[in-house]
Amino acid sequence: MALHRLYHLSSLLRSAVSLTLRRNIGISAVLFNKSKELDPVQKLFLDKIRDYSNKSKASGGIVDAGPAYQKNLSEEVTKLQRLYGGGDLAKFPEIKFTEPKFDEGAK
């Protein structure tokens, strides 16, 4: 019986180790790939993301947002303020909970 438990424990240990090794090899492959040249599609994708990030930082918000976008945004903010009673929509609302009053006299 003890041998059976030992064999079962060793098989569980082997499966856990193999899973860990597979995960580590998968992560290592990604890390080692960074040192090599990227394929053209990956390079183009990363260049576009970096370009968008630089444009976003330079404009301070949405990239290539024209007057139509700003007009639509202000209309939507006005609509939300009208629906939800105004206030600052960029700030989290203050929620006040009141303690319930229990009637202890009625027994």
Side-chain angles (χ1 to χ4, degrees):
M1 188 70 170
L3 251 115
H4 183 355
R5 286 187 182 176
L6 183 63
Y7 177 73
H8 182 65
L9 180 63
S10 68
S11 68
L12 287 175
L13 184 62
R14 271 186 283 155
S15 66
V17 167
S18 70
L19 178 67
T20 303
L21 285 176
R22 274 188 274 144
R23 286 182 182 167
N24 287 341
I25 289 171
I27 291 172
S28 299
V30 171
L31 292 176
F32 286 128
N33 193 22
K34 286 186 178 181
S35 64
K36 297 180 183 177
E37 283 293 317
L38 298 173
D39 70 58
V41 174
Q42 287 177 331
K43 186 171 179 357
L44 181 65
F45 181 72
L46 289 176
D47 289 343
K48 288 293 182 181
I49 289 176
R50 288 182 185 125
D51 185 39
Y52 185 84
S53 175
N54 291 338
K55 284 182 181 179
S56 177
K57 287 177 185 174
S59 68
I62 304 292
V63 176
D64 299 333
Y69 173 80
Q70 294 298 333
K71 180 183 175 199
N72 189 18
L73 180 66
S74 65
E75 287 174 358
E76 292 296 323
V77 167
T78 304
K79 191 186 317 180
L80 287 171
Q81 285 176 336
R82 187 176 58 243
L83 283 172
Y84 295 108
D88 186 14
L89 296 178
K91 187 178 85 172
F92 192 79
E94 293 180 20
I95 302 171
K96 296 179 183 176
F97 295 104
T98 58
E99 289 293 325
K101 295 179 182 177
F102 298 110
D103 192 18
E104 293 184 20
K107 288 188 178 180

